[in-house]
Amino acid sequence: MYVDETSSTLTRRAVVAGACGAACVAALSACSSYGSGGAPAPAAPAPGAPGAAPSGAASSGGSVNVLTSTADIPVGGGTVFAEQQVVVTQPTAGEFKAFSSTCTHQGCAVGEVAGGTINCPCHGSRFAVADGSVVQGPATSPLPEKDIQVEGSSIVLA
């Protein structure tokens, strides 16, 4: 920080430069932990929100990752859980599937499940809700499957 040596007070320029410098250090510190596993745990979703544990769902000390209730996944459709990087679908009544929410074309996050497909907003790739296969390119590889379990009325990420 610059201090005007002719007086004992800080100049406006020194205060602004110091504040900008502190903001840059804070921003760079936050960026440096990206991808290092040091990120804080995500906040719990509000009760009733997609991704929130269904009412009455038991947790065994954080080892169970309840995504949602089976009633919240529409038949022939699905829901994207961005924080968990997974999309859960229900191709037919009572059959639940899960896939990575990362598009195999260029790594964008898929944005929605609509019209029987999992849709990527970046370049228009579409994947089948039943098996994650490519319905429309430019993607050429299917979405990788994720392991889920249905426990009662809860869908749990294994």
Side-chain angles (χ1 to χ4, degrees), residues 43-96:
S55 298
S59 175
S60 60
S63 63
V64 175
N65 191 359
V66 176
L67 290 172
T68 191
S69 169
T70 55
D72 292 337
I73 305 297
V75 175
T79 302
V80 177
F81 297 91
E83 287 185 22
Q84 293 85 359
Q85 298 180 341
V86 66
V87 57
V88 177
T89 65
Q90 186 176 188
T92 60
E95 176 189 18
F96 296 92

Side-chain angles (χ1 to χ4, degrees), residues 89-92 95 97 99 116 118 127-133 145:
T89 65
Q90 186 176 188
T92 60
E95 176 189 18
K97 301 278 188 163
F99 307 97
I118 302 164
F127 304 88
V129 296
D131 60 7
S133 63
E145 268 195 77

Side-chain angles (χ1 to χ4, degrees), residues 9-158:
T9 60
L10 294 174
T11 65
R12 185 171 71 183
R13 180 178 293 171
V15 172
V16 170
C20 290
C24 289
V25 167
L28 289 174
S29 294
C31 291
S32 68
S33 66
Y34 178 79
S36 67
S55 298
S59 175
S60 60
S63 63
V64 175
N65 191 359
V66 176
L67 290 172
T68 191
S69 169
T70 55
D72 292 337
I73 305 297
V75 175
T79 302
V80 177
F81 297 91
E83 287 185 22
Q84 293 85 359
Q85 298 180 341
V86 66
V87 57
V88 177
T89 65
Q90 186 176 188
T92 60
E95 176 189 18
F96 296 92
K97 301 278 188 163
F99 307 97
S100 169
S101 64
T102 303
C103 180
T104 57
H105 174 237
Q106 286 191 346
C108 292
V110 298
E112 67 175 353
V113 181
T117 59
I118 302 164
N119 306 318
C120 180
C122 293
H123 301 106
S125 293
R126 298 183 187 278
F127 304 88
V129 296
D131 60 7
S133 63
V134 177
V135 173
Q136 173 182 313
T140 57
S141 300
L143 293 175
E145 268 195 77
K146 295 276 191 169
D147 291 329
I148 57 169
Q149 297 172 352
V150 177
E151 296 179 359
S153 62
S154 297
I155 298 175
V156 178
L157 185 60

